[in-house]
Amino acid sequence: DAKTTQPTSMDCAEGRAANLPCNHSTISGNEYVYWYRQIHSQGPQYIIHGLKNNETNEMASLIITEDRKSSTLILPHATLRDTAVYYCIVSSNDYKLSFGAGTTVTVRA
Amino acid sequence: DTEVTQTPKHLVMGMTNKKSLKCEQHMGHRAMYWYKQKAKKPPELMFVYSYEKLSINESVPSRFSPECPNSSLLNLHLHALQPEDSALYLCASSQGTWLAANNEQFFGPGTRLTVL
């Protein structure tokens, strides 16, 4: 699977949008971009995934660049409960999810 | 029911003990997973079961022995563990279609294991 690069940490203000970038420059055509998050001491939680079109669900939006080499996860109105480690993962047609170091997001009041 | 449950929540064991971790899901998923997570590190895949058969073993030492008695249950049998095996053990499940489009994994809360 392609590797991903994410910033180590970022802060955002409560109520504002949080934009989390991810680079996956070696992604191949059949690989999807998945986002998970892990709130302290809990299991990871699936957020969203996509192939090449932008996706939106009740939790977040996923914007994938046209060349698919990077993506951005958008939390539209961050709350204190969104403080977590966010993982961007590229997955192909197998069962493996290879978690990188992720981005530690701290939402501040 | 969209939950993956794991028992126990916490486990302390000695190096000579035998214990088991249990995981259960009732979402009709046919793939189940064990991950290990050390403090301040990302989860690492250990085993994958697909349709109750072991399909992936990520070179895990034999002191960890997985078992999938049926499509809803997954066990991890532990024997002769070392202190460095202390970690959070996470179970997950997914539909099991072997398609990246459907690979959302649902995780349980984990079992925090301490080996003395």
Side-chain angles (χ1 to χ4, degrees):
Chain A
D1 289 347
K3 284 190 66 173
T4 62
T5 305
Q6 299 177 252
T8 303
S9 63
M10 60 186 294
D11 285 1
C12 64
E14 189 179 23
R16 304 294 292 269
N19 296 314
L20 283 63
C22 179
N23 286 326
H24 30 79
S25 58
T26 59
I27 194 169
S28 60
N30 66 344
E31 290 180 316
Y32 279 69
V33 179
Y34 275 79
W35 282 85
Y36 285 77
R37 73 180 183 184
Q38 188 171 22
I39 296 169
H40 182 60
S41 296
Q42 297 183 20
Q45 178 188 23
Y46 164 78
I47 300 173
I48 199 167
H49 73 284
L51 182 63
K52 53 185 177 182
N53 296 323
N54 298 337
E55 303 287 345
T56 294
N57 63 21
E58 65 277 3
M59 286 183 70
S61 295
L62 175 60
I63 309 297
I64 302 175
T65 57
E66 196 167 337
D67 64 7
R68 303 210 322 121
K69 292 185 178 182
S70 66
S71 60
T72 301
L73 178 76
I74 301 172
L75 307 178
H77 303 287
T79 71
L80 298 179
R81 288 189 293 181
D82 292 320
T83 292
V85 179
Y86 286 77
Y87 296 102
C88 168
I89 301 167
V90 172
S91 177
S92 62
N93 287 340
D94 62 22
Y95 290 117
K96 292 190 179 186
L97 287 180
S98 296
F99 288 81
T103 297
T104 300
V105 173
T106 303
V107 180
R108 301 193 186 279
Chain B
D1 186 352
T2 58
E3 262 195 325
V4 175
T5 58
Q6 291 188 242
T7 54
K9 283 188 168 41
H10 301 275
L11 179 63
V12 179
M13 60 186 290
M15 289 189 285
T16 58
N17 292 157
K18 286 186 182 181
K19 296 286 185 184
S20 297
L21 309 185
K22 296 185 185 306
C23 173
E24 191 166 3
Q25 57 88 15
H26 295 288
M27 294 179 277
H29 288 171
R30 302 311 299 269
M32 295 187 77
Y33 310 75
W34 282 114
Y35 288 83
K36 173 181 178 178
Q37 186 174 26
K38 301 281 280 182
K40 299 191 187 306
K41 297 289 187 184
E44 294 178 350
L45 182 65
M46 300 173 72
F47 303 104
V48 180
Y49 271 82
S50 172
Y51 290 78
E52 295 140 62
K53 291 192 181 346
L54 183 65
S55 61
I56 296 176
N57 176 343
E58 293 285 88
S59 303
V60 179
S62 60
R63 58 185 184 268
F64 296 91
S65 174
E67 178 197 20
C68 190
N70 61 55
S71 60
S72 300
L73 292 174
L74 186 66
N75 298 321
L76 186 63
H77 303 297
L78 313 172
H79 174 55
L81 295 193
Q82 304 297 311
E84 58 265 28
D85 296 321
S86 298
L88 181 68
Y89 288 85
L90 294 159
C91 174
S93 70
S94 70
Q95 287 186 33
T97 61
W98 282 95
L99 293 174
N102 297 322
N103 201 21
E104 303 102 285
Q105 294 185 18
F106 292 80
F107 285 79
T111 293
R112 190 159 299 281
L113 174 68
T114 303
V115 182
L116 300 177

